[in-house]
Amino acid sequence: MKMSMKSKVIIYTLLTAVAVYFLAPFIYMFFTAFKTEAEAIAYPPRLFPSKWLFENFKNAWQSQPFGTYLKNSIIITVMTTAGQIISCSLVAYGFARFEFKGKNLLFMILLSTMMIPWDVTMIPQYMEFNLFGWINTLKPLIVPAWFGSAYYIFLMRQFLMGVPKDFEEAARIDGANAFQIYWKIFMPILKPSLILVGVLNMITVWNDYLGPLIFLHDRSKYTLALGLATFKGIHSTRIIPMLCITIIMIIPPIIIFIIAQKYIVEGTSGSIK
């Protein structure tokens, strides 16, 4: 159905208003990061700084060992993303392409774990990792990812369910075993879904604050999200350094999202077939 010009104007006006509403805090944050502390808290507030203080970013970065925090964030993000992609694709492949007794029951149990909030399992997990001697190490933030996530398994299973069985049968006739079919046939097909899972996991882990706060005590193990909180004191908060590090933090997810945008759309559309 072709829309009239009036309808288009109304829709685009509404979309622009919504976009401005959501972008306004980020725009204000960006300009405030270049202001002095006095300008940042001045009333009435001004959008643009009177003088652009680019050294705010350098001072904020050097005020804490953010190089170490960045390294820890990258290690955790890369390792958990690799774990989620490998483990979830293997489990999804099993649920999508194999028939075995109790498969549907196991899948329902798997899905039901999504209903359990992390707050409920947080204390048992802490006790378990403490028993292993993993507290104050990066292991509690990395190892669980290698056992998969119910949501990501569901996304990949739905994608694989739409793949015709002809691919699999042709590979079996050529002598390929189950793992070879998974690795050489289904992994390339799963590419949009793998990228979708990778981006979702990367954004979640990169911005995670509660997990590092619980399991990490030593500042040399802190992540960027946890290091950001060091600007917040009991009686005051250092606004400018906090905004500068926040801007630095959000740049990598934005870049990765822009690069992977095409595959995210394909992965999302494929998973809901």
Side-chain angles (χ1 to χ4, degrees):
M1 186 176 67
K2 192 174 181 180
M3 288 192 299
S4 64
M5 182 58 71
K6 184 179 178 182
S7 300
K8 286 184 179 178
V9 170
I10 293 173
I11 290 173
Y12 284 122
T13 303
L14 287 173
L15 290 176
T16 303
V18 172
V20 170
Y21 175 78
F22 283 104
L23 285 175
F26 294 98
I27 295 171
Y28 186 76
M29 176 185 73
F30 177 79
F31 288 118
T32 304
F34 294 93
K35 297 177 182 176
T36 62
E37 292 279 357
E39 278 187 304
I41 59 175
Y43 187 83
R46 292 177 52 188
L47 179 59
F48 297 105
S50 58
K51 184 180 178 183
W52 293 80
L53 300 175
F54 291 93
E55 61 267 27
N56 284 349
F57 288 85
K58 181 183 176 183
N59 296 336
W61 188 262
Q62 292 179 343
S63 65
Q64 299 284 337
F66 277 104
T68 303
Y69 301 163
L70 175 64
K71 183 188 73 175
N72 294 334
S73 290
I74 291 174
I75 291 173
I76 294 171
T77 303
V78 171
M79 293 300 292
T80 56
T81 302
Q84 293 286 11
I85 286 175
I86 294 173
S87 60
C88 292
S89 61
L90 274 170
V91 177
Y93 172 57
F95 276 119
R97 313 306 295 191
F98 288 88
E99 295 297 333
F100 53 91
K101 190 176 181 180
K103 186 178 84 169
N104 292 332
L105 176 62
L106 280 176
F107 189 65
M108 292 303 296
I109 293 173
L110 175 72
L111 291 184
S112 66
T113 60
M114 289 195 295
M115 309 301 168
I116 304 173
W118 191 68
D119 307 39
V120 175
T121 61
M122 184 170 57
I123 294 176
Q125 274 193 352
Y126 184 90
M127 294 171 66
E128 182 184 3
F129 294 144
N130 188 44
L131 187 67
F132 295 159
W134 289 0
I135 299 301
N136 203 28
T137 70
L138 302 185
K139 292 177 183 175
L141 302 171
I142 295 174
V143 175
W146 286 82
F147 292 89
S149 161
Y151 178 62
Y152 298 151
I153 292 170
F154 172 75
L155 284 179
M156 291 189 186
R157 175 189 175 270
Q158 295 304 103
F159 194 93
L160 286 175
M161 293 284 283
V163 179
K165 288 189 177 295
D166 298 351
F167 290 88
E168 199 171 346
E169 291 170 357
R172 286 192 188 282
I173 291 173
D174 290 338
N177 58 36
F179 183 78
Q180 288 172 326
I181 293 172
Y182 155 76
W183 187 253
K184 295 183 178 179
I185 304 295
F186 286 106
M187 283 298 272
I189 293 174
L190 265 176
K191 185 179 176 182
S193 211
L194 296 175
I195 293 176
L196 172 64
V197 168
V199 172
L200 291 177
N201 181 75
M202 194 218 75
I203 293 173
T204 302
V205 174
W206 186 262
N207 296 319
D208 183 27
Y209 172 75
L210 190 56
L213 179 66
I214 293 172
F215 298 121
L216 303 177
H217 303 155
D218 191 341
R219 285 204 169 195
S220 65
K221 305 289 193 314
Y222 276 16
T223 60
L224 275 178
L226 204 54
L228 194 62
T230 58
F231 292 119
K232 188 177 180 181
I234 298 175
H235 303 292
S236 63
T237 300
R238 298 176 61 193
I239 298 174
I240 300 299
M242 181 177 281
L243 295 182
C244 292
I245 299 300
T246 302
I247 290 173
I248 294 173
M249 266 192 70
I250 64 176
I251 289 174
I254 290 175
I255 292 174
I256 291 176
F257 180 80
I258 292 172
I259 294 173
Q261 189 177 15
K262 173 189 171 187
Y263 297 102
I264 291 172
V265 173
E266 288 181 18
T268 306
S269 60
S271 65
I272 58 176
K273 282 180 180 177

mmCIF file with all atom_site columns, all heavy atoms in Angstrom, residues 161-173:
data_model
loop_
_atom_site.group_PDB
_atom_site.id
_atom_site.type_symbol
_atom_site.label_atom_id
_atom_site.label_alt_id
_atom_site.label_comp_id
_atom_site.label_asym_id
_atom_site.label_entity_id
_atom_site.label_seq_id
_atom_site.pdbx_PDB_ins_code
_atom_site.Cartn_x
_atom_site.Cartn_y
_atom_site.Cartn_z
_atom_site.occupancy
_atom_site.B_iso_or_equiv
_atom_site.pdbx_formal_charge
_atom_site.auth_seq_id
_atom_site.auth_comp_id
_atom_site.auth_asym_id
_atom_site.auth_atom_id
_atom_site.pdbx_PDB_model_num
ATOM 1   N N   . MET A 1 161 ? 17.112 -24.659 12.152 1.00 0.00 ? 161 MET A N   1
ATOM 2   C CA  . MET A 1 161 ? 15.896 -25.399 11.813 1.00 0.00 ? 161 MET A CA  1
ATOM 3   C C   . MET A 1 161 ? 15.413 -25.073 10.400 1.00 0.00 ? 161 MET A C   1
ATOM 4   O O   . MET A 1 161 ? 14.718 -25.872 9.764  1.00 0.00 ? 161 MET A O   1
ATOM 5   C CB  . MET A 1 161 ? 14.781 -25.067 12.813 1.00 0.00 ? 161 MET A CB  1
ATOM 6   C CG  . MET A 1 161 ? 15.040 -25.568 14.233 1.00 0.00 ? 161 MET A CG  1
ATOM 7   S SD  . MET A 1 161 ? 14.787 -27.326 14.431 1.00 0.00 ? 161 MET A SD  1
ATOM 8   C CE  . MET A 1 161 ? 13.010 -27.385 14.485 1.00 0.00 ? 161 MET A CE  1
ATOM 9   N N   . GLY A 1 162 ? 15.796 -23.891 9.905  1.00 0.00 ? 162 GLY A N   1
ATOM 10  C CA  . GLY A 1 162 ? 15.356 -23.487 8.572  1.00 0.00 ? 162 GLY A CA  1
ATOM 11  C C   . GLY A 1 162 ? 16.251 -23.985 7.448  1.00 0.00 ? 162 GLY A C   1
ATOM 12  O O   . GLY A 1 162 ? 15.957 -23.752 6.269  1.00 0.00 ? 162 GLY A O   1
ATOM 13  N N   . VAL A 1 163 ? 17.346 -24.663 7.794  1.00 0.00 ? 163 VAL A N   1
ATOM 14  C CA  . VAL A 1 163 ? 18.262 -25.172 6.769  1.00 0.00 ? 163 VAL A CA  1
ATOM 15  C C   . VAL A 1 163 ? 17.741 -26.512 6.241  1.00 0.00 ? 163 VAL A C   1
ATOM 16  O O   . VAL A 1 163 ? 17.459 -27.424 7.029  1.00 0.00 ? 163 VAL A O   1
ATOM 17  C CB  . VAL A 1 163 ? 19.674 -25.364 7.356  1.00 0.00 ? 163 VAL A CB  1
ATOM 18  C CG1 . VAL A 1 163 ? 20.627 -25.923 6.297  1.00 0.00 ? 163 VAL A CG1 1
ATOM 19  C CG2 . VAL A 1 163 ? 20.199 -24.045 7.908  1.00 0.00 ? 163 VAL A CG2 1
ATOM 20  N N   . PRO A 1 164 ? 17.586 -26.654 4.917  1.00 0.00 ? 164 PRO A N   1
ATOM 21  C CA  . PRO A 1 164 ? 17.090 -27.930 4.369  1.00 0.00 ? 164 PRO A CA  1
ATOM 22  C C   . PRO A 1 164 ? 17.999 -29.105 4.706  1.00 0.00 ? 164 PRO A C   1
ATOM 23  O O   . PRO A 1 164 ? 19.220 -28.955 4.799  1.00 0.00 ? 164 PRO A O   1
ATOM 24  C CB  . PRO A 1 164 ? 17.083 -27.665 2.849  1.00 0.00 ? 164 PRO A CB  1
ATOM 25  C CG  . PRO A 1 164 ? 17.086 -26.202 2.707  1.00 0.00 ? 164 PRO A CG  1
ATOM 26  C CD  . PRO A 1 164 ? 17.817 -25.640 3.887  1.00 0.00 ? 164 PRO A CD  1
ATOM 27  N N   . LYS A 1 165 ? 17.402 -30.281 4.878  1.00 0.00 ? 165 LYS A N   1
ATOM 28  C CA  . LYS A 1 165 ? 18.176 -31.478 5.229  1.00 0.00 ? 165 LYS A CA  1
ATOM 29  C C   . LYS A 1 165 ? 19.058 -31.950 4.073  1.00 0.00 ? 165 LYS A C   1
ATOM 30  O O   . LYS A 1 165 ? 19.945 -32.787 4.273  1.00 0.00 ? 165 LYS A O   1
ATOM 31  C CB  . LYS A 1 165 ? 17.230 -32.604 5.659  1.00 0.00 ? 165 LYS A CB  1
ATOM 32  C CG  . LYS A 1 165 ? 16.600 -32.375 7.029  1.00 0.00 ? 165 LYS A CG  1
ATOM 33  C CD  . LYS A 1 165 ? 15.859 -33.603 7.495  1.00 0.00 ? 165 LYS A CD  1
ATOM 34  C CE  . LYS A 1 165 ? 15.292 -33.397 8.898  1.00 0.00 ? 165 LYS A CE  1
ATOM 35  N NZ  . LYS A 1 165 ? 16.348 -33.227 9.905  1.00 0.00 ? 165 LYS A NZ  1
ATOM 36  N N   . ASP A 1 166 ? 18.800 -31.445 2.854  1.00 0.00 ? 166 ASP A N   1
ATOM 37  C CA  . ASP A 1 166 ? 19.585 -31.866 1.688  1.00 0.00 ? 166 ASP A CA  1
ATOM 38  C C   . ASP A 1 166 ? 21.083 -31.594 1.876  1.00 0.00 ? 166 ASP A C   1
ATOM 39  O O   . ASP A 1 166 ? 21.925 -32.386 1.457  1.00 0.00 ? 166 ASP A O   1
ATOM 40  C CB  . ASP A 1 166 ? 19.097 -31.129 0.430  1.00 0.00 ? 166 ASP A CB  1
ATOM 41  C CG  . ASP A 1 166 ? 17.652 -31.468 0.112  1.00 0.00 ? 166 ASP A CG  1
ATOM 42  O OD1 . ASP A 1 166 ? 17.116 -32.394 0.756  1.00 0.00 ? 166 ASP A OD1 1
ATOM 43  O OD2 . ASP A 1 166 ? 17.065 -30.813 -0.760 1.00 0.00 ? 166 ASP A OD2 1
ATOM 44  N N   . PHE A 1 167 ? 21.402 -30.460 2.522  1.00 0.00 ? 167 PHE A N   1
ATOM 45  C CA  . PHE A 1 167 ? 22.811 -30.126 2.750  1.00 0.00 ? 167 PHE A CA  1
ATOM 46  C C   . PHE A 1 167 ? 23.488 -31.223 3.567  1.00 0.00 ? 167 PHE A C   1
ATOM 47  O O   . PHE A 1 167 ? 24.582 -31.677 3.253  1.00 0.00 ? 167 PHE A O   1
ATOM 48  C CB  . PHE A 1 167 ? 22.920 -28.794 3.510  1.00 0.00 ? 167 PHE A CB  1
ATOM 49  C CG  . PHE A 1 167 ? 22.531 -27.595 2.696  1.00 0.00 ? 167 PHE A CG  1
ATOM 50  C CD1 . PHE A 1 167 ? 21.223 -27.163 2.638  1.00 0.00 ? 167 PHE A CD1 1
ATOM 51  C CD2 . PHE A 1 167 ? 23.493 -26.900 1.974  1.00 0.00 ? 167 PHE A CD2 1
ATOM 52  C CE1 . PHE A 1 167 ? 20.869 -26.061 1.889  1.00 0.00 ? 167 PHE A CE1 1
ATOM 53  C CE2 . PHE A 1 167 ? 23.138 -25.783 1.223  1.00 0.00 ? 167 PHE A CE2 1
ATOM 54  C CZ  . PHE A 1 167 ? 21.819 -25.372 1.180  1.00 0.00 ? 167 PHE A CZ  1
ATOM 55  N N   . GLU A 1 168 ? 22.799 -31.612 4.632  1.00 0.00 ? 168 GLU A N   1
ATOM 56  C CA  . GLU A 1 168 ? 23.344 -32.607 5.559  1.00 0.00 ? 168 GLU A CA  1
ATOM 57  C C   . GLU A 1 168 ? 23.470 -33.974 4.884  1.00 0.00 ? 168 GLU A C   1
ATOM 58  O O   . GLU A 1 168 ? 24.491 -34.658 5.013  1.00 0.00 ? 168 GLU A O   1
ATOM 59  C CB  . GLU A 1 168 ? 22.398 -32.684 6.754  1.00 0.00 ? 168 GLU A CB  1
ATOM 60  C CG  . GLU A 1 168 ? 22.961 -33.285 7.986  1.00 0.00 ? 168 GLU A CG  1
ATOM 61  C CD  . GLU A 1 168 ? 21.990 -33.106 9.135  1.00 0.00 ? 168 GLU A CD  1
ATOM 62  O OE1 . GLU A 1 168 ? 21.040 -32.305 9.005  1.00 0.00 ? 168 GLU A OE1 1
ATOM 63  O OE2 . GLU A 1 168 ? 22.179 -33.786 10.143 1.00 0.00 ? 168 GLU A OE2 1
ATOM 64  N N   . GLU A 1 169 ? 22.422 -34.351 4.150  1.00 0.00 ? 169 GLU A N   1
ATOM 65  C CA  . GLU A 1 169 ? 22.410 -35.673 3.516  1.00 0.00 ? 169 GLU A CA  1
ATOM 66  C C   . GLU A 1 169 ? 23.478 -35.773 2.426  1.00 0.00 ? 169 GLU A C   1
ATOM 67  O O   . GLU A 1 169 ? 24.141 -36.803 2.270  1.00 0.00 ? 169 GLU A O   1
ATOM 68  C CB  . GLU A 1 169 ? 21.027 -35.943 2.945  1.00 0.00 ? 169 GLU A CB  1
ATOM 69  C CG  . GLU A 1 169 ? 19.970 -36.149 4.036  1.00 0.00 ? 169 GLU A CG  1
ATOM 70  C CD  . GLU A 1 169 ? 18.557 -36.169 3.485  1.00 0.00 ? 169 GLU A CD  1
ATOM 71  O OE1 . GLU A 1 169 ? 18.400 -35.966 2.256  1.00 0.00 ? 169 GLU A OE1 1
ATOM 72  O OE2 . GLU A 1 169 ? 17.619 -36.366 4.278  1.00 0.00 ? 169 GLU A OE2 1
ATOM 73  N N   . ALA A 1 170 ? 23.658 -34.694 1.679  1.00 0.00 ? 170 ALA A N   1
ATOM 74  C CA  . ALA A 1 170 ? 24.692 -34.691 0.636  1.00 0.00 ? 170 ALA A CA  1
ATOM 75  C C   . ALA A 1 170 ? 26.079 -34.842 1.252  1.00 0.00 ? 170 ALA A C   1
ATOM 76  O O   . ALA A 1 170 ? 26.938 -35.567 0.721  1.00 0.00 ? 170 ALA A O   1
ATOM 77  C CB  . ALA A 1 170 ? 24.606 -33.391 -0.164 1.00 0.00 ? 170 ALA A CB  1
ATOM 78  N N   . ALA A 1 171 ? 26.298 -34.172 2.391  1.00 0.00 ? 171 ALA A N   1
ATOM 79  C CA  . ALA A 1 171 ? 27.597 -34.278 3.061  1.00 0.00 ? 171 ALA A CA  1
ATOM 80  C C   . ALA A 1 171 ? 27.825 -35.685 3.605  1.00 0.00 ? 171 ALA A C   1
ATOM 81  O O   . ALA A 1 171 ? 28.944 -36.210 3.542  1.00 0.00 ? 171 ALA A O   1
ATOM 82  C CB  . ALA A 1 171 ? 27.677 -33.255 4.192  1.00 0.00 ? 171 ALA A CB  1
ATOM 83  N N   . ARG A 1 172 ? 26.777 -36.313 4.125  1.00 0.00 ? 172 ARG A N   1
ATOM 84  C CA  . ARG A 1 172 ? 26.905 -37.688 4.649  1.00 0.00 ? 172 ARG A CA  1
ATOM 85  C C   . ARG A 1 172 ? 27.239 -38.664 3.525  1.00 0.00 ? 172 ARG A C   1
ATOM 86  O O   . ARG A 1 172 ? 28.025 -39.595 3.702  1.00 0.00 ? 172 ARG A O   1
ATOM 87  C CB  . ARG A 1 172 ? 25.612 -38.098 5.353  1.00 0.00 ? 172 ARG A CB  1
ATOM 88  C CG  . ARG A 1 172 ? 25.412 -37.427 6.700  1.00 0.00 ? 172 ARG A CG  1
ATOM 89  C CD  . ARG A 1 172 ? 24.290 -38.075 7.490  1.00 0.00 ? 172 ARG A CD  1
ATOM 90  N NE  . ARG A 1 172 ? 23.979 -37.301 8.683  1.00 0.00 ? 172 ARG A NE  1
ATOM 91  C CZ  . ARG A 1 172 ? 24.702 -37.333 9.789  1.00 0.00 ? 172 ARG A CZ  1
ATOM 92  N NH1 . ARG A 1 172 ? 25.776 -38.093 9.832  1.00 0.00 ? 172 ARG A NH1 1
ATOM 93  N NH2 . ARG A 1 172 ? 24.368 -36.594 10.836 1.00 0.00 ? 172 ARG A NH2 1
ATOM 94  N N   . ILE A 1 173 ? 26.627 -38.463 2.360  1.00 0.00 ? 173 ILE A N   1
ATOM 95  C CA  . ILE A 1 173 ? 26.916 -39.331 1.211  1.00 0.00 ? 173 ILE A CA  1
ATOM 96  C C   . ILE A 1 173 ? 28.393 -39.210 0.810  1.00 0.00 ? 173 ILE A C   1
ATOM 97  O O   . ILE A 1 173 ? 29.043 -40.185 0.415  1.00 0.00 ? 173 ILE A O   1
ATOM 98  C CB  . ILE A 1 173 ? 25.995 -38.959 0.026  1.00 0.00 ? 173 ILE A CB  1
ATOM 99  C CG1 . ILE A 1 173 ? 24.548 -39.348 0.369  1.00 0.00 ? 173 ILE A CG1 1
ATOM 100 C CG2 . ILE A 1 173 ? 26.446 -39.657 -1.257 1.00 0.00 ? 173 ILE A CG2 1
ATOM 101 C CD1 . ILE A 1 173 ? 23.532 -38.873 -0.640 1.00 0.00 ? 173 ILE A CD1 1
#
